Amino acid sequence: MPSRLSSACWLSARFAGAAVAVPALLALWVTLAAADARGTGTSSVLAQADAVIEQRPIVKIENEVAEGSSRFAAATADLTVLLPSPTGGRAVPAKFEASTNRRQGVGSDLYVAYVPAHPELGAIGDDQREDVERQLAGRAVQFGDAWVIGGFWALATVAPLVHWWRKESLRRPARTVGPEWKALRVTVTGTVEHTDAPPHGSPEAADEKKRRENTRTLRCLVLEGGGRQVPFHSQMDAEAAGAALTGAHGWLLWHPRQRRGRDVLAELVGDDGWQLPGAVPVRVAEEIEEQGVMGAAQPDSERRVHLLDLGAGWLVTASAPVVVGFAVALGCLTVLLLVPDSGAWRLWTAAAGVLAPLAGFAAQAVARMDHGDGRAAG
């Protein structure tokens, strides 16, 4: 047995990073779908030519599509304004498409960006000056909207992540194994879905409702040792870990007083030098200790172990539908970022980007269920 166990903080940090990145990507997909990616080609030309922003009255409205019959409903239309001629002659008409927060009428003033010396370059406009500035700057959303979106993202992401980090994360520093540690010789035999329920008569099982609230289902590695099976769960995907470790021999180590929530922090150490941080449900650990099948750890100061990490080979351990789903999602995000256009196709593209990974996980789950049924039938 090793005398020194490695820190598992980096694995938890990486898991937390993924938990932050995925909803952030979803929020970005939805935001970009609902907004212009970079305004229009005209906005880019005007920005390079040092356009100015002035209020101009609308002289013509065509192809109006409103979101309601009220005059306060948002609308999209082709609007025409008159730009002053640089030579003092007749005004130059400029036509552009604009999506405004309320329906406009002929004679209504818009904020219009154009180049006074070159009205032939065209114009862009909106009923909000901030939106015209956004298009000239090439931003997807206004700064004020970005803060609102960021606030909702934080509420939906950071709070659950903090709860997980405090209550469920398997993070732990490097630790020294001493004689007070318990050790059990084990063999990895596969994976199992373990139901951790409070015993009858305990306060957590006072009634059926409390019993359901305190019952959890864990996807675990199955360790056989001391004449019984031990469920061991970790942050590593149980299926990938089971496929890689089934048949491996090693030691299950834990300190009886090192607990977090409803688990005893444990380490699975393989004979060939790897260490997998995880946990064993408290009730299972207490039963094993009562049976007296575990002995005191006898560490060897010369023994060295390293963390087992299949993360670098995730393309190998992840199923093909999941990989394809994420590839489609990233492709959709790239299109939304790079194509300077607006329209209904953006919403469909964003929907495809959001649903593609979910479809991949669903296909993976169906494949696992079919595989499980096939093994059961066999």
Side-chain angles (χ1 to χ4, degrees):
M1 304 175 196
S3 60
R4 188 72 173 169
L5 296 172
S6 300
S7 167
C9 293
W10 168 238
L11 296 181
S12 287
R14 191 172 63 188
F15 188 93
V20 170
V22 171
L25 286 175
L26 293 178
L28 186 57
W29 276 317
V30 174
T31 301
L32 293 178
D36 293 338
R38 297 193 178 180
T40 64
T42 302
S43 66
S44 177
V45 173
L46 295 177
Q48 294 177 6
D50 298 326
V52 299
I53 301 176
E54 296 178 353
Q55 282 191 312
R56 290 287 170 181
I58 300 172
V59 297
K60 189 176 182 180
I61 300 176
E62 298 175 293
N63 305 320
E64 183 182 61
V65 178
E67 295 182 1
S69 58
S70 170
R71 64 187 183 91
F72 298 104
T76 299
D78 294 328
L79 307 176
T80 301
V81 298
L82 296 179
L83 304 180
S85 172
T87 61
R90 295 181 60 184
V92 179
K95 182 179 179 180
F96 52 86
E97 182 183 10
S99 297
T100 55
N101 289 341
R102 55 182 295 177
R103 298 177 68 174
Q104 302 296 314
V106 173
S108 300
D109 288 334
L110 286 184
Y111 289 100
V112 177
Y114 71 101
V115 180
H118 298 283
E120 69 276 5
L121 295 178
I124 58 173
D126 198 271
D127 56 351
Q128 295 185 78
R129 185 184 181 93
E130 288 183 352
D131 199 62
V132 178
E133 293 174 344
R134 172 193 68 79
Q135 293 183 59
L136 290 176
R139 298 193 305 269
V141 295
Q142 299 176 19
F143 284 124
D145 294 337
W147 281 107
V148 173
I149 294 168
F152 280 114
W153 170 84
L155 288 176
T157 305
V158 176
L161 181 64
V162 170
H163 174 79
W164 169 83
W165 185 266
R166 293 182 59 188
K167 301 295 183 181
E168 300 181 25
S169 170
L170 298 181
R171 71 191 188 283
R172 63 201 64 171
R175 294 173 296 167
T176 300
V177 178
E180 69 277 12
W181 285 61
K182 301 295 183 181
L184 178 66
R185 186 69 179 168
V186 295
T187 300
V188 182
T189 59
T191 59
V192 68
E193 197 171 78
H194 175 72
T195 300
D196 183 30
H200 291 284
S202 64
E204 293 81 6
D207 53 49
E208 187 61 28
K209 181 180 179 181
K210 286 189 176 181
R211 182 175 177 82
R212 286 198 305 268
E213 291 175 350
N214 291 285
T215 298
R216 56 178 178 161
T217 301
L218 305 170
R219 192 68 181 170
C220 304
L221 286 176
V222 180
L223 312 180
E224 288 194 357
R228 66 163 295 160
Q229 292 185 338
V230 183
F232 176 88
H233 65 93
S234 72
Q235 289 177 351
M236 179 175 288
D237 178 75
E239 296 294 336
L245 301 180
T246 296
H249 303 281
W251 293 94
L252 178 63
L253 304 171
W254 73 62
H255 192 295
R257 291 194 299 273
Q258 292 184 357
R259 301 184 178 186
R260 181 173 295 134
R262 298 161 63 182
D263 293 316
V264 173
L265 301 182
E267 307 288 337
L268 179 58
V269 179
D271 288 347
D272 50 356
W274 50 264
Q275 169 197 343
L276 178 60
V280 174
V282 169
R283 189 167 62 87
V284 175
E286 291 175 346
E287 291 176 356
I288 296 175
E289 292 184 11
E290 290 174 358
Q291 293 174 358
V293 297
M294 300 191 76
Q298 298 178 353
D300 180 359
S301 59
E302 299 298 323
R303 179 80 192 278
R304 296 289 183 270
V305 294
H306 59 85
L307 288 176
L308 177 65
D309 184 6
L310 300 182
W314 74 276
L315 286 174
V316 178
T317 59
S319 68
V322 173
V323 176
V324 172
F326 273 106
V328 172
L330 291 175
C332 292
L333 180 60
T334 301
V335 171
L336 292 173
L337 282 169
L338 297 181
V339 178
D341 194 9
S342 61
W345 69 268
R346 297 181 64 82
L347 294 174
W348 289 108
T349 303
V354 171
L355 295 177
L358 301 180
F361 283 115
Q364 180 187 47
V366 170
R368 286 179 176 176
M369 291 174 60
D370 292 342
H371 184 60
D373 294 342
R375 286 186 296 181

